[in-house]
């Protein structure tokens, strides 16, 4: 039952907002009593914290599967982008923006986990791209990772609309790729930019 509550609450938080969804809403949606929810989660903040941890784990499991597939480094970044776009397409407000605004402490804890995971992922992608001849040999990997991370998270934390956040993220991905790509990498980038699903 705890997992069912977590899954349903996560969907509702992402779709309608962390602030606007109440314990009553979740209980009503699931046709259970509020008392049942409180049996597993002593308050809404604990539920939000566990829901965001679950979403974080799901996202990183999917990213790991994409990375384990046989994509080149640039394709890989676009596949991850498509996954995020699909996952959050029905949401009006950026979940990261909501979390930062209404639950700043939880947001801070999520971000500290995210920094580590994302930096590792970005670093591996750049190393893979250099090996494949898609990114330049002399790229300062740590600086490129930092720049890209700052761009992406600044967009997510400061853009209310999820649609606008996704539009800006695509520009950030193109900007990042052009900054480190070889001529071969630019060709691959141009090919990816033609994909209507991005």
């Amino acid at each position: 039952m705890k997992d069912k509550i977590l899954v349903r609450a996560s969907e509702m938080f992402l779709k309608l907002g962390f602030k606007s969804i109440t314990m009553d809403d979740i209980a009503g949606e699931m046709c259970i009593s509020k008392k049942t929810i409180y049996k597993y989660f002593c308050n809404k903040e604990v539920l939000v914290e566990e829901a965001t941890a679950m979403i974080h784990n799901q996202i990183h499991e999917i990213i790991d599967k994409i990375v384990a597939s046989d994509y080149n480094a640039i394709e890989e970044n676009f596949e991850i982008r498509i996954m995020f776009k699909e996952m959050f397409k029905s949401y009006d407000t950026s979940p990261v923006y909501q979390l930062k605004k209404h639950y700043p402490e939880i947001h801070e804890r999520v971000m500290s986990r995210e920094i580590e995971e994302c930096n590792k992922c970005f670093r591996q992608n750049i190393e893979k791209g250099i090996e494949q001849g898609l990114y330049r040999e002399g790229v300062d990997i740590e600086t490129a990772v930092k720049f890209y991370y700052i761009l992406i998270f600044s967009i997510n934390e400061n853009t209310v609309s999820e649609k606008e956040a996704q539009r800006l993220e695509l520009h950030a991905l193109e900007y990042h790729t052009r900054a480190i790509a070889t001529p071969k990498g630019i060709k691959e980038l141009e090919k990816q930019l033609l994909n209507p699903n991005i």
Side-chain angles (χ1 to χ4, degrees), residues 107-155:
H107 171 267
E108 211 168 284
R109 288 193 289 275
V110 167
M111 284 302 112
S112 65
R113 276 198 314 257
E114 220 35 65
I115 287 168
E116 208 174 297
E117 294 267 2
C118 288
N119 283 353
K120 188 178 116 193
C121 192
F122 295 162
R123 191 176 299 107
Q124 286 171 344
N125 178 269
I126 294 172
E127 287 165 356
K128 181 178 180 178
I130 291 170
E131 274 175 40
Q132 294 170 336
L134 296 168
Y135 301 146
R136 288 179 286 106
E137 281 285 340
V139 169
D140 179 340
I141 296 175
E142 292 311 309
T143 303
V145 164
K146 195 172 186 179
F147 283 177
Y148 189 45
Y149 178 85
I150 290 168
L151 266 178
I152 290 295
F153 283 89
S154 173
I155 289 166

Short mmCIF file of all heavy atoms in Angstrom, two decimals, residues 107-155:
data_model
loop_
_atom_site.label_atom_id
_atom_site.label_comp_id
_atom_site.label_asym_id
_atom_site.label_seq_id
_atom_site.Cartn_x
_atom_site.Cartn_y
_atom_site.Cartn_z
N HIS A 107 14.15 20.46 -1.86
CA HIS A 107 14.78 20.82 -3.14
C HIS A 107 16.30 20.79 -3.00
O HIS A 107 17.01 20.25 -3.85
CB HIS A 107 14.32 22.21 -3.58
CG HIS A 107 15.07 22.74 -4.75
ND1 HIS A 107 16.19 23.54 -4.61
CD2 HIS A 107 14.91 22.56 -6.08
CE1 HIS A 107 16.65 23.84 -5.80
NE2 HIS A 107 15.91 23.26 -6.71
N GLU A 108 16.80 21.35 -1.90
CA GLU A 108 18.24 21.39 -1.67
C GLU A 108 18.83 19.98 -1.57
O GLU A 108 19.89 19.68 -2.13
CB GLU A 108 18.53 22.18 -0.39
CG GLU A 108 19.85 22.91 -0.44
CD GLU A 108 19.97 23.89 0.71
OE1 GLU A 108 19.32 24.96 0.66
OE2 GLU A 108 20.70 23.56 1.65
N ARG A 109 18.13 19.10 -0.86
CA ARG A 109 18.62 17.71 -0.70
C ARG A 109 18.58 16.98 -2.04
O ARG A 109 19.50 16.24 -2.39
CB ARG A 109 17.79 16.96 0.35
CG ARG A 109 18.10 17.43 1.77
CD ARG A 109 17.54 16.51 2.82
NE ARG A 109 16.11 16.55 2.95
CZ ARG A 109 15.43 17.42 3.70
NH1 ARG A 109 16.09 18.36 4.37
NH2 ARG A 109 14.12 17.38 3.79
N VAL A 110 17.50 17.19 -2.81
CA VAL A 110 17.38 16.56 -4.13
C VAL A 110 18.52 17.04 -5.02
O VAL A 110 19.16 16.25 -5.71
CB VAL A 110 16.00 16.88 -4.79
CG1 VAL A 110 15.98 16.50 -6.25
CG2 VAL A 110 14.87 16.16 -4.05
N MET A 111 18.78 18.35 -5.00
CA MET A 111 19.81 18.93 -5.85
C MET A 111 21.21 18.44 -5.50
O MET A 111 22.03 18.22 -6.38
CB MET A 111 19.77 20.46 -5.80
CG MET A 111 18.65 21.06 -6.59
SD MET A 111 18.68 20.61 -8.34
CE MET A 111 17.26 19.59 -8.49
N SER A 112 21.47 18.23 -4.22
CA SER A 112 22.81 17.76 -3.86
C SER A 112 23.03 16.34 -4.38
O SER A 112 24.13 16.00 -4.83
CB SER A 112 23.06 17.85 -2.35
OG SER A 112 22.20 16.98 -1.67
N ARG A 113 21.98 15.51 -4.39
CA ARG A 113 22.08 14.17 -4.99
C ARG A 113 22.23 14.29 -6.50
O ARG A 113 23.02 13.60 -7.13
CB ARG A 113 20.80 13.36 -4.71
CG ARG A 113 20.77 12.66 -3.38
CD ARG A 113 19.71 11.56 -3.38
NE ARG A 113 18.43 11.95 -3.94
CZ ARG A 113 17.34 12.24 -3.24
NH1 ARG A 113 17.37 12.21 -1.93
NH2 ARG A 113 16.22 12.56 -3.83
N GLU A 114 21.45 15.20 -7.06
CA GLU A 114 21.41 15.38 -8.52
C GLU A 114 22.75 15.87 -9.07
O GLU A 114 23.18 15.43 -10.13
CB GLU A 114 20.31 16.39 -8.82
CG GLU A 114 19.43 16.17 -9.99
CD GLU A 114 19.06 14.76 -10.36
OE1 GLU A 114 18.39 14.06 -9.62
OE2 GLU A 114 19.47 14.35 -11.44
N ILE A 115 23.40 16.77 -8.36
CA ILE A 115 24.70 17.31 -8.80
C ILE A 115 25.68 16.18 -9.06
O ILE A 115 26.30 16.09 -10.11
CB ILE A 115 25.29 18.30 -7.75
CG1 ILE A 115 24.52 19.62 -7.77
CG2 ILE A 115 26.77 18.57 -8.00
CD1 ILE A 115 24.83 20.54 -6.60
N GLU A 116 25.76 15.27 -8.08
CA GLU A 116 26.70 14.16 -8.19
C GLU A 116 26.35 13.25 -9.37
O GLU A 116 27.20 12.93 -10.19
CB GLU A 116 26.64 13.35 -6.89
CG GLU A 116 27.92 12.63 -6.58
CD GLU A 116 27.84 11.96 -5.21
OE1 GLU A 116 27.70 12.68 -4.20
OE2 GLU A 116 27.90 10.73 -5.18
N GLU A 117 25.09 12.86 -9.46
CA GLU A 117 24.64 11.95 -10.52
C GLU A 117 24.84 12.57 -11.90
O GLU A 117 25.36 11.93 -12.82
CB GLU A 117 23.14 11.62 -10.35
CG GLU A 117 22.82 10.84 -9.11
CD GLU A 117 22.79 9.35 -9.34
OE1 GLU A 117 23.07 8.89 -10.47
OE2 GLU A 117 22.51 8.63 -8.38
N CYS A 118 24.40 13.82 -12.04
CA CYS A 118 24.47 14.48 -13.35
C CYS A 118 25.90 14.76 -13.78
O CYS A 118 26.24 14.57 -14.94
CB CYS A 118 23.66 15.78 -13.35
SG CYS A 118 21.91 15.46 -13.32
N ASN A 119 26.72 15.20 -12.84
CA ASN A 119 28.11 15.46 -13.19
C ASN A 119 28.79 14.20 -13.69
O ASN A 119 29.55 14.23 -14.66
CB ASN A 119 28.87 16.04 -11.99
CG ASN A 119 28.54 17.52 -11.78
OD1 ASN A 119 27.85 18.14 -12.58
ND2 ASN A 119 29.02 18.07 -10.69
N LYS A 120 28.50 13.07 -13.05
CA LYS A 120 29.07 11.78 -13.47
C LYS A 120 28.59 11.43 -14.88
O LYS A 120 29.36 11.06 -15.75
CB LYS A 120 28.65 10.69 -12.47
CG LYS A 120 29.33 9.35 -12.68
CD LYS A 120 28.90 8.36 -11.61
CE LYS A 120 28.15 7.24 -12.29
NZ LYS A 120 27.41 6.36 -11.42
N CYS A 121 27.30 11.60 -15.10
CA CYS A 121 26.68 11.29 -16.39
C CYS A 121 27.25 12.19 -17.50
O CYS A 121 27.63 11.72 -18.57
CB CYS A 121 25.17 11.49 -16.25
SG CYS A 121 24.21 10.86 -17.60
N PHE A 122 27.33 13.51 -17.24
CA PHE A 122 27.86 14.45 -18.24
C PHE A 122 29.32 14.14 -18.55
O PHE A 122 29.75 14.17 -19.69
CB PHE A 122 27.75 15.91 -17.74
CG PHE A 122 26.34 16.42 -17.55
CD1 PHE A 122 26.11 17.55 -16.76
CD2 PHE A 122 25.25 15.81 -18.14
CE1 PHE A 122 24.82 18.04 -16.58
CE2 PHE A 122 23.96 16.30 -17.96
CZ PHE A 122 23.75 17.41 -17.17
N ARG A 123 30.10 13.85 -17.49
CA ARG A 123 31.52 13.55 -17.66
C ARG A 123 31.72 12.32 -18.54
O ARG A 123 32.52 12.32 -19.48
CB ARG A 123 32.18 13.35 -16.29
CG ARG A 123 33.71 13.30 -16.33
CD ARG A 123 34.33 13.19 -14.95
NE ARG A 123 34.00 14.34 -14.10
CZ ARG A 123 33.15 14.30 -13.07
NH1 ARG A 123 32.53 13.18 -12.74
NH2 ARG A 123 32.90 15.39 -12.37
N GLN A 124 30.97 11.25 -18.24
CA GLN A 124 31.08 10.00 -19.02
C GLN A 124 30.69 10.24 -20.48
O GLN A 124 31.31 9.70 -21.38
CB GLN A 124 30.19 8.91 -18.41
CG GLN A 124 30.76 8.34 -17.13
CD GLN A 124 29.78 7.41 -16.41
OE1 GLN A 124 28.58 7.40 -16.68
NE2 GLN A 124 30.29 6.64 -15.47
N ASN A 125 29.68 11.08 -20.68
CA ASN A 125 29.23 11.38 -22.04
C ASN A 125 30.33 12.10 -22.82
O ASN A 125 30.59 11.78 -23.99
CB ASN A 125 27.94 12.21 -22.03
CG ASN A 125 27.49 12.57 -23.42
OD1 ASN A 125 27.85 13.61 -23.96
ND2 ASN A 125 26.71 11.69 -24.03
N ILE A 126 30.98 13.06 -22.19
CA ILE A 126 32.05 13.81 -22.88
C ILE A 126 33.24 12.89 -23.18
O ILE A 126 33.78 12.91 -24.29
CB ILE A 126 32.48 15.06 -22.06
CG1 ILE A 126 31.31 16.07 -21.99
CG2 ILE A 126 33.70 15.73 -22.69
CD1 ILE A 126 31.53 17.25 -21.06
N GLU A 127 33.60 12.06 -22.21
CA GLU A 127 34.71 11.11 -22.44
C GLU A 127 34.39 10.17 -23.61
O GLU A 127 35.24 9.91 -24.46
CB GLU A 127 34.99 10.31 -21.17
CG GLU A 127 35.68 11.14 -20.09
CD GLU A 127 35.65 10.51 -18.70
OE1 GLU A 127 35.02 9.42 -18.53
OE2 GLU A 127 36.24 11.11 -17.78
N LYS A 128 33.15 9.68 -23.65
CA LYS A 128 32.70 8.78 -24.73
C LYS A 128 32.76 9.52 -26.08
O LYS A 128 33.24 8.97 -27.07
CB LYS A 128 31.26 8.33 -24.43
CG LYS A 128 30.64 7.38 -25.43
CD LYS A 128 29.24 7.02 -24.94
CE LYS A 128 28.51 6.08 -25.86
NZ LYS A 128 27.18 5.71 -25.32
N GLY A 129 32.29 10.77 -26.10
CA GLY A 129 32.29 11.58 -27.32
C GLY A 129 33.69 11.86 -27.85
O GLY A 129 33.92 11.86 -29.06
N ILE A 130 34.64 12.07 -26.93
CA ILE A 130 36.04 12.30 -27.34
C ILE A 130 36.57 11.02 -27.99
O ILE A 130 37.18 11.07 -29.06
CB ILE A 130 36.91 12.75 -26.14
CG1 ILE A 130 36.50 14.17 -25.69
CG2 ILE A 130 38.39 12.73 -26.50
CD1 ILE A 130 37.11 14.63 -24.37
N GLU A 131 36.32 9.89 -27.35
CA GLU A 131 36.76 8.59 -27.90
C GLU A 131 36.18 8.34 -29.30
O GLU A 131 36.84 7.78 -30.16
CB GLU A 131 36.31 7.43 -27.00
CG GLU A 131 37.23 7.12 -25.86
CD GLU A 131 36.64 6.06 -24.95
OE1 GLU A 131 36.03 5.09 -25.45
OE2 GLU A 131 36.78 6.21 -23.71
N GLN A 132 34.93 8.78 -29.50
CA GLN A 132 34.25 8.54 -30.78
C GLN A 132 34.59 9.60 -31.83
O GLN A 132 34.08 9.53 -32.95
CB GLN A 132 32.73 8.49 -30.55
CG GLN A 132 32.30 7.32 -29.71
CD GLN A 132 30.83 7.41 -29.29
OE1 GLN A 132 30.23 8.49 -29.24
NE2 GLN A 132 30.24 6.26 -29.01
N GLY A 133 35.39 10.59 -31.45
CA GLY A 133 35.76 11.64 -32.39
C GLY A 133 34.66 12.67 -32.63
O GLY A 133 34.71 13.46 -33.56
N LEU A 134 33.65 12.66 -31.73
CA LEU A 134 32.53 13.61 -31.87
C LEU A 134 32.79 14.90 -31.08
O LEU A 134 32.24 15.95 -31.40
CB LEU A 134 31.23 12.96 -31.38
CG LEU A 134 30.75 11.75 -32.19
CD1 LEU A 134 29.64 11.02 -31.46
CD2 LEU A 134 30.29 12.18 -33.58
N TYR A 135 33.58 14.80 -30.02
CA TYR A 135 33.97 15.96 -29.23
C TYR A 135 35.48 16.15 -29.35
O TYR A 135 36.22 15.18 -29.53
CB TYR A 135 33.61 15.77 -27.75
CG TYR A 135 32.14 15.54 -27.44
CD1 TYR A 135 31.76 14.71 -26.40
CD2 TYR A 135 31.13 16.15 -28.19
CE1 TYR A 135 30.42 14.50 -26.09
CE2 TYR A 135 29.79 15.93 -27.90
CZ TYR A 135 29.44 15.11 -26.85
OH TYR A 135 28.11 14.89 -26.55
N ARG A 136 35.93 17.40 -29.24
CA ARG A 136 37.34 17.74 -29.41
C ARG A 136 38.23 17.11 -28.34
O ARG A 136 37.84 17.03 -27.18
CB ARG A 136 37.51 19.26 -29.40
CG ARG A 136 36.97 19.95 -30.65
CD ARG A 136 37.13 21.45 -30.60
NE ARG A 136 36.19 22.09 -29.69
CZ ARG A 136 36.50 22.59 -28.51
NH1 ARG A 136 37.73 22.58 -28.07
NH2 ARG A 136 35.57 23.17 -27.76
N GLU A 137 39.42 16.73 -28.76
CA GLU A 137 40.42 16.10 -27.88
C GLU A 137 40.77 16.96 -26.66
O GLU A 137 40.81 16.47 -25.55
CB GLU A 137 41.72 15.83 -28.66
CG GLU A 137 41.68 14.59 -29.52
CD GLU A 137 41.79 13.29 -28.73
OE1 GLU A 137 42.26 13.33 -27.58
OE2 GLU A 137 41.40 12.24 -29.26
N GLY A 138 41.01 18.24 -26.86
CA GLY A 138 41.52 19.07 -25.77
C GLY A 138 40.46 19.70 -24.88
O GLY A 138 40.76 20.63 -24.13
N VAL A 139 39.23 19.20 -24.93
CA VAL A 139 38.15 19.80 -24.14
C VAL A 139 38.48 19.70 -22.64
O VAL A 139 38.88 18.65 -22.16
CB VAL A 139 36.80 19.07 -24.41
CG1 VAL A 139 35.73 19.49 -23.42
CG2 VAL A 139 36.33 19.33 -25.82
N ASP A 140 38.30 20.81 -21.93
CA ASP A 140 38.44 20.80 -20.47
C ASP A 140 37.14 20.20 -19.93
O ASP A 140 36.12 20.89 -19.81
CB ASP A 140 38.66 22.23 -19.96
CG ASP A 140 38.80 22.32 -18.46
OD1 ASP A 140 38.36 21.38 -17.75
OD2 ASP A 140 39.35 23.32 -17.97
N ILE A 141 37.18 18.91 -19.65
CA ILE A 141 35.96 18.16 -19.30
C ILE A 141 35.26 18.74 -18.07
O ILE A 141 34.05 18.97 -18.09
CB ILE A 141 36.27 16.66 -19.12
CG1 ILE A 141 36.75 16.07 -20.45
CG2 ILE A 141 35.05 15.91 -18.58
CD1 ILE A 141 37.21 14.62 -20.40
N GLU A 142 36.03 19.02 -17.01
CA GLU A 142 35.41 19.51 -15.77
C GLU A 142 34.68 20.84 -16.00
O GLU A 142 33.58 21.05 -15.49
CB GLU A 142 36.45 19.67 -14.66
CG GLU A 142 37.03 18.35 -14.17
CD GLU A 142 35.99 17.28 -13.83
OE1 GLU A 142 35.05 17.59 -13.08
OE2 GLU A 142 36.11 16.15 -14.34
N THR A 143 35.30 21.73 -16.78
CA THR A 143 34.67 23.03 -17.06
C THR A 143 33.42 22.86 -17.92
O THR A 143 32.38 23.47 -17.64
CB THR A 143 35.67 23.98 -17.75
OG1 THR A 143 36.82 24.11 -16.91
CG2 THR A 143 35.08 25.35 -18.00
N ALA A 144 33.50 22.00 -18.94
CA ALA A 144 32.34 21.76 -19.81
C ALA A 144 31.18 21.17 -19.02
O ALA A 144 30.02 21.57 -19.19
CB ALA A 144 32.73 20.82 -20.95
N VAL A 145 31.49 20.24 -18.11
CA VAL A 145 30.46 19.63 -17.25
C VAL A 145 29.81 20.71 -16.39
O VAL A 145 28.59 20.80 -16.29
CB VAL A 145 31.08 18.51 -16.35
CG1 VAL A 145 30.16 18.14 -15.21
CG2 VAL A 145 31.41 17.28 -17.19
N LYS A 146 30.63 21.54 -15.78
CA LYS A 146 30.13 22.60 -14.88
C LYS A 146 29.24 23.59 -15.64
O LYS A 146 28.16 23.95 -15.17
CB LYS A 146 31.32 23.31 -14.23
CG LYS A 146 30.94 24.15 -13.05
CD LYS A 146 32.18 24.69 -12.34
CE LYS A 146 31.78 25.40 -11.07
NZ LYS A 146 32.94 25.91 -10.35
N PHE A 147 29.71 24.04 -16.80
CA PHE A 147 28.93 24.99 -17.59
C PHE A 147 27.56 24.41 -17.95
O PHE A 147 26.53 25.06 -17.82
CB PHE A 147 29.66 25.37 -18.88
CG PHE A 147 30.80 26.35 -18.70
CD1 PHE A 147 31.58 26.71 -19.80
CD2 PHE A 147 31.09 26.91 -17.47
CE1 PHE A 147 32.63 27.61 -19.66
CE2 PHE A 147 32.14 27.80 -17.32
CZ PHE A 147 32.92 28.15 -18.42
N TYR A 148 27.57 23.17 -18.44
CA TYR A 148 26.32 22.54 -18.88
C TYR A 148 25.37 22.34 -17.70
O TYR A 148 24.19 22.62 -17.78
CB TYR A 148 26.61 21.22 -19.59
CG TYR A 148 25.39 20.61 -20.27
CD1 TYR A 148 24.54 21.39 -21.04
CD2 TYR A 148 25.10 19.26 -20.14
CE1 TYR A 148 23.43 20.85 -21.66
CE2 TYR A 148 23.98 18.71 -20.76
CZ TYR A 148 23.16 19.50 -21.52
OH TYR A 148 22.05 18.97 -22.12
N TYR A 149 25.92 21.88 -16.59
CA TYR A 149 25.11 21.67 -15.39
C TYR A 149 24.45 22.98 -14.94
O TYR A 149 23.26 23.03 -14.67
CB TYR A 149 26.00 21.10 -14.25
CG TYR A 149 25.22 20.91 -12.99
CD1 TYR A 149 24.50 19.75 -12.77
CD2 TYR A 149 25.15 21.91 -12.03
CE1 TYR A 149 23.73 19.58 -11.63
CE2 TYR A 149 24.39 21.76 -10.89
CZ TYR A 149 23.69 20.59 -10.69
OH TYR A 149 22.92 20.45 -9.56
N ILE A 150 25.26 24.05 -14.88
CA ILE A 150 24.73 25.35 -14.45
C ILE A 150 23.61 25.81 -15.38
O ILE A 150 22.56 26.28 -14.93
CB ILE A 150 25.86 26.42 -14.35
CG1 ILE A 150 26.77 26.09 -13.16
CG2 ILE A 150 25.29 27.82 -14.22
CD1 ILE A 150 28.07 26.88 -13.12
N LEU A 151 23.81 25.65 -16.69
CA LEU A 151 22.79 26.04 -17.67
C LEU A 151 21.48 25.28 -17.43
O LEU A 151 20.41 25.89 -17.31
CB LEU A 151 23.27 25.71 -19.08
CG LEU A 151 23.95 26.78 -19.90
CD1 LEU A 151 24.39 26.20 -21.23
CD2 LEU A 151 23.04 27.98 -20.12
N ILE A 152 21.57 23.95 -17.40
CA ILE A 152 20.37 23.11 -17.29
C ILE A 152 19.61 23.37 -15.99
O ILE A 152 18.39 23.55 -15.99
CB ILE A 152 20.75 21.61 -17.41
CG1 ILE A 152 21.19 21.28 -18.84
CG2 ILE A 152 19.60 20.70 -16.98
CD1 ILE A 152 20.12 21.42 -19.90
N PHE A 153 20.33 23.41 -14.87
CA PHE A 153 19.63 23.57 -13.60
C PHE A 153 19.14 24.99 -13.36
O PHE A 153 18.12 25.19 -12.71
CB PHE A 153 20.46 23.00 -12.45
CG PHE A 153 20.36 21.51 -12.44
CD1 PHE A 153 21.26 20.74 -13.16
CD2 PHE A 153 19.32 20.87 -11.80
CE1 PHE A 153 21.14 19.36 -13.21
CE2 PHE A 153 19.19 19.48 -11.84
CZ PHE A 153 20.10 18.73 -12.55
N SER A 154 19.81 25.96 -13.94
CA SER A 154 19.32 27.33 -13.86
C SER A 154 17.99 27.45 -14.61
O SER A 154 17.05 28.09 -14.14
CB SER A 154 20.36 28.28 -14.45
OG SER A 154 19.82 29.57 -14.51
N ILE A 155 17.90 26.80 -15.76
CA ILE A 155 16.65 26.81 -16.54
C ILE A 155 15.54 26.18 -15.71
O ILE A 155 14.46 26.75 -15.55
CB ILE A 155 16.83 26.05 -17.88
CG1 ILE A 155 17.72 26.85 -18.84
CG2 ILE A 155 15.47 25.75 -18.54
CD1 ILE A 155 18.23 26.06 -20.05
#
